[in-house]
Amino acid sequence: MKTKWLLTFPPELTGEPVTYTLIKNFNLKINILKASIDLNVSGNLLVLADGNKNEIDSALAWLGNTGVIVHPGDSQIVWNDALCVHCGACTAICPTKALSLDPSSWMVAFEGEKCLECGHCVPACPIGAISNNNGLHHA
Amino acid sequence: MAARKTYDEINQKIKEGNAVVVTADEVIDIVAEKGVREAAKYVDVVTTATFGPMCSTGAFMNFGHADPPIRMTNVLLNNVPAYAGLAAVDAYIGATEASLDKGINYGGAHVICDLVDGKSIRLSASSPGTDCYPRKNIETWINLDDVNEAYLYNPRNAYQNYSAATNTSDRPLYTYMGILKPGMGNVHYCTSGQLNPLLNDPHYRTIGIGTRIFLAGAQGFVSWMGTQFSSGRKRNAKGLPDAPGGTLAVSGDLRSMTTEFLKPAVFKDYGISMFVGIGVPIPILDEEVMSCVSVSDKDIFTTIEDYSVKRRDKPSLGTVSYEELRSGIITLQGRKIPTAPITSLHKSRQIAELLKQEIEKGEFEITKPVQSFPLNKTLKSLEVKSKEGR
Ligand code: SF4
Ligand code: SF4
């Protein structure tokens, strides 16, 4: 299973090899989507973790013990399907095709798994159909 | 025998429920299969549509007279200025006008949509007071049922083609074509291409003053040629301009509209615009009309302009077909650049389909233009003169 985590590191932990441990000890495939970490300053790491349920659960338990704050779950970017008029104005702005137009229906779809949470799409939507709920990242 | 039909013959078929109506998307395959001649006999009406941001949009309203009456000036609707330099209680609210307190987060387009949604709007106005209109101030609430008239009158909608936009500079540009990323990071285009009304009737044979249209859910009309109408633009072999050509001025009753096809658009650091849904039926009078409506995205070209050049005439970086634009990626100056539309093809198709159903059900008649548009109109520019004179 794949799961997306936003990991917030307190300053004292920014030097820890957390991703290395997640890969080595918990056998997870880690895809770093976005990182903003400076040594001795709190930082954020957005990762897509891939592993079986046991591996993920034990990795989460370990992360909790280290003091890393895990914001689990889906993307913090919320695309409001009901408001969207499928103009497409957000799609070439999105660096990862997390927002994309289906070439036959010409409807826009949002795939949270691909989202880097860069926030670029939020001001690009003329309808206000996209919002950013995490408050940690800004365009 | 050449296929020829009159407006009356087609309307008779519509009334009888026998008209063959297809969308401008569907007609492409029909013509490919049957050929222009047979298709022209078979199909009676082709529906075209567009749903994109159209800044030159607004509504006229007549509020009715209060007692004592007022000759309104400084009209505000939910704190958005409306133009009232007309008779006492007439006003025009333009879509792009921004609210005095909320700025571009709320404007004329929002007022119009709130009215269509049945919401109450705060009306305030003042006046010097006159013998016939003594009142000096008014503060009240209005809604769509309260006012005498409320109709859209959009001086320029439904562009026949439009240039695509990109940005060669090193900073993002915030434009009415959306956000253009630095270093040619994206190309944005509008118009619905092969579904676009005037691209399907390039020489304005069936679309003219008086043409009945679908306007945001209502039956509206083409009221004039749109502003900046430039039919004299250079045409390609298919008769199509590869830059903005004709435009339409349209009007229709707000009371019959729906906000499903009328929506405020807010472009960051640019301002307010309005998504307007327009559908135009094209009666298949003969083979020439049929040949025009069979146009497809691969035949329609547009120029790509560099919006980082802050001049009236922006340099063209090349020409692309809508087919290439629709593929999501184009090659420009040797680089692959992602493309995105700002006109909703999904909504445009919905409108073409709805209009088709209305015609099939006999609820929408086609109209012969009362007056055709001029064919060789060119665009003028505004010169900044240092003294009066010609
Ligand atoms: S936040 Fe960035 S990556 Fe995510 S959908 Fe928006 S533009 Fe794409
Ligand atoms: S820009 Fe907004 S309205 Fe347009 S497709 Fe994207 S989410 Fe939908």
Side-chain angles (χ1 to χ4, degrees):
Chain A
M1 64 190 257
K2 279 188 189 164
T3 170
K4 194 152 84 172
W5 297 328
L6 176 66
L7 308 176
T8 302
F9 293 73
E12 64 276 13
L13 281 178
T14 51
E16 292 292 313
V18 169
T19 27
Y20 175 78
T21 311
L22 287 174
I23 296 166
K24 186 88 172 121
N25 295 3
F26 300 96
N27 197 30
L28 298 179
K29 281 199 205 104
I30 297 287
N31 185 6
I32 299 177
L33 298 173
K34 191 175 162 152
S36 55
I37 298 180
D38 289 322
L39 201 58
N40 299 328
V41 182
S42 81
N44 293 300
L45 191 64
L46 186 70
V47 300
L48 196 61
D50 190 0
N52 68 36
K53 193 171 178 314
N54 275 340
E55 292 161 347
I56 296 224
D57 286 347
S58 25
L60 275 174
W62 174 77
L63 281 168
N65 286 334
T66 60
V68 173
I69 304 159
V70 185
H71 313 268
D74 288 334
S75 172
Q76 301 297 306
I77 292 290
V78 180
W79 168 68
N80 189 333
D81 188 355
L83 289 182
C84 176
V85 297
H86 306 281
C87 62
C90 56
T91 57
I93 294 293
C94 175
T96 62
K97 295 201 166 72
L99 282 159
S100 67
L101 270 167
D102 180 292
S104 70
S105 71
W106 289 91
M107 290 172 85
V108 164
F110 174 61
E111 293 163 273
E113 209 174 77
K114 292 187 185 167
C115 175
L116 293 181
E117 320 219 346
C118 66
H120 292 347
C121 53
V122 176
C125 175
I127 294 288
I130 311 173
S131 51
N132 191 344
N133 279 359
N134 70 23
L136 292 166
H137 304 271
H138 283 289
Chain B
M1 189 193 74
R4 269 183 199 288
K5 288 171 227 165
T6 64
Y7 285 86
D8 287 343
E9 283 163 5
I10 295 172
N11 271 333
Q12 190 56 36
K13 281 190 164 180
I14 292 174
K15 260 186 225 145
E16 289 162 1
N18 293 327
V20 176
V21 190
V22 299
T23 70
D25 275 338
E26 294 163 343
V27 79
I28 296 168
D29 285 344
I30 296 176
V31 171
E33 193 193 309
K34 291 180 186 279
V36 170
R37 173 179 265 243
E38 285 308 307
K41 285 187 201 158
Y42 171 62
V43 177
D44 299 305
V45 183
V46 169
T47 58
T48 63
T50 185
F51 181 90
M54 306 192 193
C55 292
S56 208
T57 290
F60 278 108
M61 264 176 274
N62 176 289
F63 303 116
H65 286 286
D67 184 34
I70 174 170
R71 199 195 79 78
M72 295 183 185
T73 58
N74 305 316
V75 169
L76 296 174
L77 294 167
N78 281 354
N79 219 17
V80 180
Y83 181 73
L86 299 160
V89 292
D90 283 337
Y92 184 80
I93 175 95
T96 68
E97 191 74 48
S99 149
L100 294 183
D101 57 328
K102 300 195 181 84
I104 67 168
N105 293 320
Y106 188 92
H110 300 81
V111 171
I112 292 168
C113 283
D114 281 349
L115 277 167
V116 170
D117 282 335
K119 294 186 188 155
S120 286
I121 305 285
R122 184 85 177 149
L123 162 67
S124 78
S126 60
S127 168
T130 68
D131 287 345
C132 47
Y133 295 111
R135 184 192 283 268
K136 292 190 173 168
N137 284 292
I138 191 162
E139 291 275 344
T140 182
W141 296 90
I142 57 154
N143 63 43
L144 206 50
D145 293 329
D146 294 339
V147 297
N148 279 319
E149 290 83 17
Y151 56 93
L152 273 195
Y153 187 98
N154 304 344
R156 181 172 71 256
N157 282 176
Y159 254 115
Q160 179 181 32
N161 214 351
Y162 205 80
S163 301
T166 193
N167 168 18
T168 62
S169 80
D170 56 8
R171 69 167 190 92
L173 296 176
Y174 298 91
T175 78
Y176 60 83
M177 293 290 284
I179 300 178
L180 302 175
K181 298 203 273 189
M184 298 202 301
N186 55 350
V187 168
H188 278 179
Y189 61 99
C190 53
T191 99
S192 51
Q194 65 188 26
L195 207 51
N196 172 286
L198 291 175
L199 286 172
N200 279 281
D201 185 11
H203 308 295
Y204 327 108
R205 273 198 61 198
T206 70
I207 305 174
I209 296 172
T211 299
R212 186 194 312 272
I213 60 169
F214 173 107
L215 181 56
Q219 290 194 11
F221 295 92
V222 173
S223 28
W224 202 253
M225 65 180 132
T227 52
Q228 293 181 20
F229 189 89
S230 69
S231 50
R233 185 81 69 174
K234 200 167 125 279
R235 308 276 172 144
N236 67 15
K238 293 255 173 190
L240 304 168
D242 63 8
T247 57
L248 299 177
V250 299
S251 54
D253 193 346
L254 278 189
R255 289 189 178 115
S256 315
M257 292 184 188
T258 150
T259 50
E260 201 177 329
F261 300 114
L262 199 61
K263 287 208 187 293
V266 176
F267 288 99
K268 180 185 156 67
D269 290 351
Y270 167 73
I272 305 159
S273 183
M274 194 162 198
F275 279 99
V276 181
I278 292 179
V280 183
I282 297 184
I284 305 304
L285 303 174
D286 55 30
E287 290 169 28
E288 190 204 321
V289 176
M290 179 45 100
S291 159
C292 289
V293 296
S294 68
V295 72
S296 75
D297 283 340
K298 68 177 183 328
D299 305 315
I300 309 171
F301 291 81
T302 193
T303 47
I304 303 170
E305 288 185 352
D306 182 1
Y307 272 53
S308 69
V309 175
K310 297 180 192 307
R311 299 300 300 266
R312 177 180 66 209
D313 299 316
K314 304 194 188 312
S316 161
L317 300 178
T319 301
V320 276
S321 72
Y322 276 79
E323 188 178 48
E324 292 168 276
L325 288 168
R326 289 245 175 258
S327 75
I329 201 138
I330 59 165
T331 306
L332 189 60
Q333 300 182 341
R335 279 183 43 203
K336 294 211 180 306
I337 301 171
T339 62
I342 59 167
T343 293
S344 171
L345 186 57
H346 169 68
K347 284 262 181 194
S348 305
R349 283 181 177 168
Q350 267 186 344
I351 293 168
E353 190 59 39
L354 268 177
L355 178 56
K356 170 178 147 179
Q357 288 166 13
E358 284 180 26
I359 299 170
E360 283 172 342
K361 282 188 266 174
E363 292 166 3
F364 194 109
E365 276 190 19
I366 53 155
T367 38
K368 183 175 179 175
V370 181
Q371 167 89 48
S372 294
F373 295 141
L375 284 175
N376 284 306
K377 196 169 172 295
T378 52
L379 208 53
K380 290 179 186 167
S381 306
L382 177 64
E383 299 312 328
V384 183
K385 298 175 183 173
S386 57
K387 59 175 188 270
E388 189 184 339
R390 296 183 70 85

